[in-house]
Amino acid sequence: MHICLVNLPRYEVNRPPLSLAVLSAICDSHQVDYSCVDLSLLIWQKLQDDFYDIDNFCITKIINDPVKQRLQELIDKVIINTISKYPNTTFALSLLSFWSQPVAELFCQRVKQLSNCEVLVGGQGLDNPTWTDRLKQQKLIDNFIVGEGEISFKKFLEGCRSGPGINNYDFEQIDDLDLHCFIPNYSKLPLDQYPYLNNTPSLFITASRGCVRNCSYCDIGHQWKKYRYRDAKNVAKEMITQYERHNIQEFFFTDSLINGSMKMLNELCDVLIDYKQKNPGANFKWRGQYIFRPKHTVNEEHIKKLADSGVDYLIVGLETGSDKVRYSMNKKHTTDDAEWFLEMFKKYKIQCRLLMITGYVTEELDDHRRTLELFSRWQKFVASETITGIELGSILMILDNSPVGQQKHELEMSFVNDKPYAWHSGKNPELDMFERVRRRIETHREAIKYNWPITRSLYRLNTIKHNLLEVVDYYKIHGNTTKKVIPIMLKKTGSEEPV
């Protein structure tokens, strides 16, 4: 048996896929012949002019025929090249999220039309049994695995076609991650071909699964019921191994939060500081997502340790300028707490990017104004390059398996054409979709006014425009509200066009 491990978009191309490297290590441990294909990288290399159309296809499931044809031809080449070398191939498709499903489905169709090869799908993208059931019924896939790949993929290689997480959603979670830990193997991925940011060789790394928070808009708690983390020495060993093996100069943690366990994080810092003191040439950096905590629970020594161990950049979910809204999101910190951290980051030269959500379900106009006030209040952190960017997102999507998604009835929520972004809550009737877009654009303008860098600015605005036009088109087709909706939309967005 030969396994062709395939990484699918939607996946950033600035670092190699960690999933394929871990699955490669599992194949090695079982002496299974395998190859790796990073389709996201190939699209970037071969279809660069179509890259963002294909990225949008992952989100909207809409793609024009010429782009789809070129994508299909690229997929066909991958399949034909693989089976010409390895006729008895099982294509194992890794889906990072549900956004991978459109390309995954196209890939499965082409495998079945071009060969008799089996198809296995797995990953966090298998969030909906309806999708996998449909693909099985259409005979586009032969098997699927969910949950912990270190268990289910290992058993699949051993010949199991049933059991926890294999062709069912009753997977078992690993309690002790260190017992099932593999050093990721990148030997069959073209590390020299990735468009690394700033030409700095960089890898993903995972130290924990799950999250200590249960933020109301996030569904990670549904995916991983229990928060677990690896031993700090184990994590450091992986970083040091990849640094020494591949001269990796930067690591980005995929964890929901790198400071979910403060004990583990401080121990990791201690191990890395000790290694760097003994190896003065080792100057690799590391980054990840971080949470602001109540300032009385964290001391300055912790921030200094982060910097001394190599942390130079963190992504933090601030979400809003309103303490009231932030607490309704189940975010356990205040704006004053966040400001303390920013002062510490400035002192120890740790840069950060802030994540924001405009128009949360409980947000009122006064809450929105508090968000706008942050741009002048914290302009000093932008000037010092402590805050290097802000991610304003598009507009809030209600995820079915998030806490707020489970409260649709209590919040009296309705949706336009079942679109997760086109929601309305009877508990906050003023916050319709058009008001959310108006606030989002006002936030954007305020950020520009105070010279805040906005990441993925035009991309996000185009997504908002697309979403807004979808709703308007729906109203046009279904009649009676179009004459009301378009003037309201134009008035609220303050422009002659929707965005």
Side-chain angles (χ1 to χ4, degrees):
M1 177 176 67
H2 177 88
I3 300 284
C4 180
L5 303 170
V6 183
N7 179 61
L8 298 171
R10 190 173 188 239
Y11 195 100
E12 70 165 79
V13 295
N14 302 121
R15 298 178 186 89
L18 175 60
S19 59
L20 262 57
V22 172
L23 296 175
S24 294
I26 297 173
C27 286
D28 282 333
S29 72
H30 282 64
Q31 298 182 323
V32 172
D33 188 38
Y34 70 96
S35 57
C36 293
V37 174
D38 187 350
L39 187 61
S40 291
L41 177 64
L42 287 177
I43 292 170
W44 176 259
Q45 292 173 329
K46 308 294 185 183
L47 301 176
Q48 199 161 100
D49 290 343
D50 298 323
F51 185 84
Y52 291 104
D53 287 329
I54 295 171
D55 187 71
N56 195 53
F57 171 51
C58 294
I59 301 171
T60 66
K61 302 182 181 179
I62 298 170
I63 188 170
N64 65 52
D65 289 339
V67 175
K68 183 177 181 180
Q69 181 62 33
R70 289 190 288 271
L71 175 59
Q72 180 175 302
E73 290 171 356
L74 179 61
I75 290 172
D76 288 354
K77 287 181 181 178
V78 168
I79 296 168
I80 292 168
N81 288 342
T82 301
I83 60 179
S84 67
K85 297 176 183 176
Y86 315 104
N88 187 28
T89 291
T90 294
F91 287 92
L93 311 185
S94 175
L95 286 71
L96 177 65
S97 74
F98 63 88
W99 281 325
S100 300
Q101 291 179 5
V103 176
E105 194 162 339
L106 179 60
F107 199 106
C108 293
Q109 291 169 356
R110 300 311 298 160
V111 170
K112 294 305 182 181
Q113 289 178 19
L114 294 170
S115 74
N116 294 316
C117 294
E118 290 193 354
V119 176
L120 166 71
V121 294
Q124 293 300 306
L126 277 64
D127 67 322
N128 187 349
T130 302
W131 184 77
T132 46
D133 288 345
R134 178 171 62 81
L135 265 60
K136 288 220 49 163
Q137 289 170 4
Q138 294 175 352
K139 298 184 178 179
L140 292 178
I141 62 174
D142 300 278
N143 298 283
F144 69 88
I145 58 176
V146 297
E148 315 273 18
E150 293 88 346
I151 294 178
S152 50
F153 184 62
K154 177 182 175 182
K155 290 183 177 179
F156 178 86
L157 294 181
E158 293 169 354
C160 297
R161 296 299 179 266
S162 62
I166 302 176
N167 292 314
N168 61 72
Y169 279 75
D170 298 322
F171 64 91
E172 59 180 308
Q173 286 199 342
I174 298 172
D175 288 327
D176 188 341
L177 294 177
D178 293 304
L179 289 178
H180 298 270
C181 184
F182 293 87
I183 297 290
N185 183 353
Y186 292 91
S187 63
K188 295 193 178 183
L189 285 165
L191 295 187
D192 60 336
Q193 295 182 27
Y194 285 86
Y196 300 111
L197 297 175
N198 301 317
N199 293 317
T200 302
S202 177
L203 293 180
F204 288 115
I205 184 170
T206 302
S208 66
R209 288 181 184 163
C211 189
V212 293
R213 290 285 186 260
N214 189 31
C215 298
S216 59
Y217 50 82
C218 180
D219 63 356
I220 195 70
H222 174 79
Q223 297 173 24
W224 302 115
K225 306 298 183 186
K226 181 180 178 182
Y227 174 70
R228 299 142 299 148
Y229 55 90
R230 294 164 57 188
D231 180 77
K233 292 180 180 178
N234 191 311
V235 177
K237 178 183 176 181
E238 180 177 333
M239 296 172 73
I240 292 167
T241 298
Q242 302 295 12
Y243 163 71
E244 294 179 345
R245 183 180 293 170
H246 300 295
N247 193 31
I248 298 303
Q249 296 298 311
E250 177 191 283
F251 294 90
F252 189 91
F253 280 73
T254 67
D255 306 46
S256 298
L257 307 166
I258 64 168
N259 59 332
S261 166
M262 293 293 290
K263 177 178 180 292
M264 184 279 234
L265 180 57
N266 284 322
E267 288 176 357
L268 176 60
C269 290
D270 290 337
V271 176
L272 293 176
I273 290 169
D274 180 67
Y275 176 79
K276 291 185 173 189
Q277 287 174 344
K278 294 175 180 176
N279 300 270
N283 195 34
F284 56 83
K285 304 297 183 182
W286 56 290
R287 303 174 167 189
Q289 297 188 121
Y290 189 87
I291 49 170
F292 290 142
R293 294 175 177 269
K295 57 187 177 183
H296 70 271
T297 66
V298 181
N299 58 36
E300 184 174 339
E301 178 61 24
H302 165 70
I303 308 297
K304 183 178 185 299
K305 273 189 179 184
L306 290 176
D308 290 345
S309 67
V311 173
D312 66 342
Y313 182 85
L314 295 169
I315 299 173
V316 190
L318 178 71
E319 316 308 351
T320 174
S322 165
D323 291 347
K324 184 195 79 177
V325 172
R326 201 178 299 111
Y327 270 79
S328 72
M329 294 175 171
N330 203 28
K331 306 281 283 191
K332 304 292 183 65
H333 71 269
T334 67
T335 299
D336 286 345
D337 292 329
E339 189 159 326
W340 180 86
F341 276 92
L342 292 173
E343 293 286 3
M344 290 295 101
F345 289 173
K346 179 182 177 181
K347 181 175 181 179
Y348 291 101
K349 296 181 171 54
I350 296 174
Q351 296 181 317
C352 69
R353 172 158 52 103
L354 301 181
L355 309 181
M356 302 291 284
I357 294 174
T358 304
Y360 182 69
V361 180
T362 61
E363 183 184 275
E364 297 177 341
L365 197 55
D366 185 60
D367 300 312
H368 173 60
R369 292 192 184 104
R370 291 181 185 276
T371 296
L372 298 181
E373 290 168 359
L374 286 181
F375 294 103
S376 58
R377 174 176 171 177
W378 287 353
Q379 188 183 29
K380 60 184 180 180
F381 296 119
V382 176
S384 67
E385 297 186 345
T386 301
I387 297 175
T388 61
I390 186 168
E391 170 62 79
L392 295 176
S394 48
I395 50 179
L396 176 67
M397 293 176 61
I398 304 298
L399 302 178
D400 286 338
N401 293 317
S402 65
V404 72
Q406 297 293 308
Q407 297 171 356
K408 294 176 186 175
H409 180 73
E410 294 91 330
L411 293 168
E412 300 175 11
M413 280 191 162
S414 59
F415 295 81
V416 177
N417 198 25
D418 294 325
K419 299 295 183 183
Y421 53 80
W423 53 269
H424 179 264
S425 171
K427 294 292 186 180
N428 192 3
E430 295 299 316
L431 191 65
D432 58 21
M433 181 172 179
F434 308 111
E435 173 61 11
R436 295 200 300 279
V437 172
R438 186 199 70 79
R439 293 183 190 180
R440 170 60 176 80
I441 292 172
E442 187 174 28
T443 304
H444 196 105
R445 288 172 173 160
E446 197 73 2
I448 292 173
K449 178 180 175 181
Y450 289 99
N451 299 311
W452 284 55
I454 305 172
T455 58
R456 293 188 278 193
S457 173
L458 292 178
Y459 175 78
R460 294 299 194 190
L461 289 177
N462 283 329
T463 300
I464 294 169
K465 181 175 181 178
H466 174 84
N467 293 344
L468 203 51
L469 290 175
E470 271 195 333
V471 171
V472 171
D473 288 343
Y474 178 85
Y475 282 137
K476 285 179 180 178
I477 294 170
H478 291 81
N480 62 22
T481 56
T482 305
K483 290 182 180 179
K484 294 181 180 179
V485 167
I486 294 178
I488 290 172
M489 176 182 66
L490 298 179
K491 181 178 179 182
K492 285 193 171 184
T493 58
S495 62
E496 295 180 359
E497 295 190 10
V499 177

